[in-house]
Amino acid sequence: VVACAKVIEVGKNCIDVQPGDDIYIARHMAIPIPFRKKGYYIAHEQHVMCRIVKKKLENGKFSVIMYYV
């Protein structure tokens, strides 16, 4: 199962993702973190399948790019 997630924090050795990035991760590899029933998970950078980047074009529309890590 694949899940879409938003990165809220990264470790000092993290290279491919930054806080605020939207990513796809292997859900079965993520570990649930019980914090105020918010549904947070922790996952290793190796389990990130791709990073989704939105770019604003000159005509005002957005282009969505998926970077595979």
Side-chain angles (χ1 to χ4, degrees):
V1 177
V2 176
C4 185
K6 180 166 288 292
V7 178
I8 56 173
E9 190 64 44
V10 297
K12 64 180 180 179
N13 296 328
C14 186
I15 298 169
D16 295 320
V17 295
Q18 299 297 319
D21 285 350
D22 292 318
I23 60 172
Y24 282 116
I25 61 168
R27 175 80 185 256
H28 65 278
M29 299 302 286
I31 301 167
I33 303 296
F35 180 75
R36 297 185 183 176
K37 299 180 182 179
K38 297 275 186 178
Y40 292 141
Y41 286 82
I42 188 169
H44 194 277
E45 186 178 21
Q46 291 176 338
H47 300 130
V48 174
M49 296 177 174
C50 68
R51 184 170 55 104
I52 304 163
V53 178
K54 284 192 228 178
K55 259 184 149 176
K56 191 170 185 178
L57 303 174
E58 292 176 8
N59 61 5
K61 294 184 179 182
F62 285 94
S63 173
V64 177
I65 303 168
M66 297 176 78
Y67 290 103
Y68 294 92
V69 292

